[in-house]
Amino acid sequence: MDINEKIIETTIEIFTTMVMMDVTVDGPPLQTSGALTDSITGMIGLAGTHKGVLAIHIPNHVAIAITSSFLGMDVAEIDDDVRDAVGELANMLGGNVKTILSENGRDIDLSLPSTIAGHEYGFKAATDVDLVVLPFKTEAGSFLVELQLEK
Amino acid sequence: MGHNVLLVDDSSTMRKIVGRSLRQAGLDFDNIFEAADGLLALEVLEKESVDIVLSDINMPNMDGIAFLREKANRANMKDIPVFMISTETGEDIIGEAKALGAKGAIKKPFTPDMVNEILGPFLK
């Protein structure tokens, strides 16, 4: 399966079965995630036969709505619950991407997920990478899923 | 009669989601204990009566595989069944988990029906 298709399939599956929120693809793949404003990014690293990072970039108000739906409780601001939920989204996406890149599950290791958040920041690779940036849309707003793989 | 379950995951979100899925699946638990890694899970198992453990694999401090290995060496807890709940579903990793005593695996993302399908027969 094409890596873009797998990311789309996994994202929709995660949101449908666990976040309890409808999500659709919001247009064609982008060249870059660009400048991220008032957002939170969850990311997880891949190391081994494939090296790179999987990230999900979510505007704060969308992350709050996603976390509220995910946990089934009201969330009002970017707090530990939001950071944990966004990290777990990255973890699930990364784990599923690993399953199609890995031969046997042992040739690629995943890092622990982490998050960054800020008023304005960029997410760029320091080395030459194959880049996939896929836009998604929910009723609360849009977000991006990005995969960088070392060439 | 109900059971006591221990949920082991470094994500507090995932522990809540798994607990909610167990309830939605209609599985009857008297107590749901939580631990954020394998080391803390061992502490819970030393103190509490636990009937079944649901554990992530990729965790800090002590991951799910190391937890299984350590648990297998402790006579007072080695027979408590463990199911892995993880994005890590490669045959080698799940095979290693099963060789260390894991009874099965649930892949993230999952639905309450999937949880019931795997755990239900075991709890009846």
Side-chain angles (χ1 to χ4, degrees), chain A residues 1-25 44 54-56 70 88-101 110 134 136 143 145 147, chain B residues 86-89 107-111 114:
Chain A
M1 181 186 283
D2 174 76
I3 193 84
N4 288 18
E5 291 176 18
K6 179 65 180 179
I7 292 172
I8 290 169
E9 178 188 285
T10 300
T11 302
I12 291 173
E13 184 182 10
I14 289 169
F15 274 74
T16 304
T17 61
M18 301 193 72
V19 179
M20 305 299 180
M21 187 180 267
D22 288 335
V23 62
T24 54
V25 175
I44 189 164
L54 184 294
I56 179 167
F70 205 176
E88 188 54 34
L89 290 175
N91 185 41
M92 285 192 283
L93 283 164
N96 279 273
V97 166
K98 171 183 167 177
T99 60
I100 63 165
L101 296 174
L110 291 176
L134 299 171
F136 292 90
F143 64 88
V145 175
L147 176 65
Chain B
S86 180
T87 60
E88 300 266 358
T89 53
K107 179 180 178 296
K108 297 177 188 173
F110 54 82
T111 63
M114 291 160 66

Side-chain angles (χ1 to χ4, degrees), chain B:
Chain B
M1 192 180 84
H3 300 78
N4 294 338
V5 62
L6 169 60
L7 309 180
V8 190
D9 199 307
D10 54 319
S11 166
S12 60
T13 299
M14 193 48 59
R15 296 197 303 270
K16 288 174 187 162
I17 299 299
V18 174
R20 183 176 72 192
S21 296
L22 293 173
R23 289 190 292 275
Q24 289 175 339
L27 298 172
D28 182 22
F29 289 102
D30 287 339
N31 294 293
I32 298 180
F33 300 108
E34 297 187 16
D37 60 42
L39 278 175
L40 294 170
L42 291 168
E43 288 182 16
V44 173
L45 293 180
E46 289 288 355
K47 291 189 291 190
E48 306 289 351
S49 172
V50 173
D51 299 290
I52 187 169
V53 180
L54 308 182
S55 177
D56 189 16
I57 293 177
N58 191 19
M59 296 182 289
N61 303 321
M62 178 183 280
D63 67 19
I65 297 297
F67 164 66
L68 285 169
R69 191 172 289 117
E70 180 60 30
K71 176 181 158 297
N73 288 327
R74 299 192 186 188
N76 58 334
M77 62 181 74
K78 66 182 176 61
D79 294 328
I80 299 172
V82 180
F83 288 80
M84 313 314 289
I85 297 189
S86 180
T87 60
E88 300 266 358
T89 53
E91 288 178 18
D92 280 15
I93 291 179
I94 297 304
E96 184 176 1
K98 287 183 176 175
L100 288 167
K103 299 294 184 189
I106 299 169
K107 179 180 178 296
K108 297 177 188 173
F110 54 82
T111 63
D113 285 346
M114 291 160 66
V115 172
N116 190 32
E117 188 177 322
I118 293 171
L119 298 185
F122 188 82
L123 292 168
K124 281 174 183 162

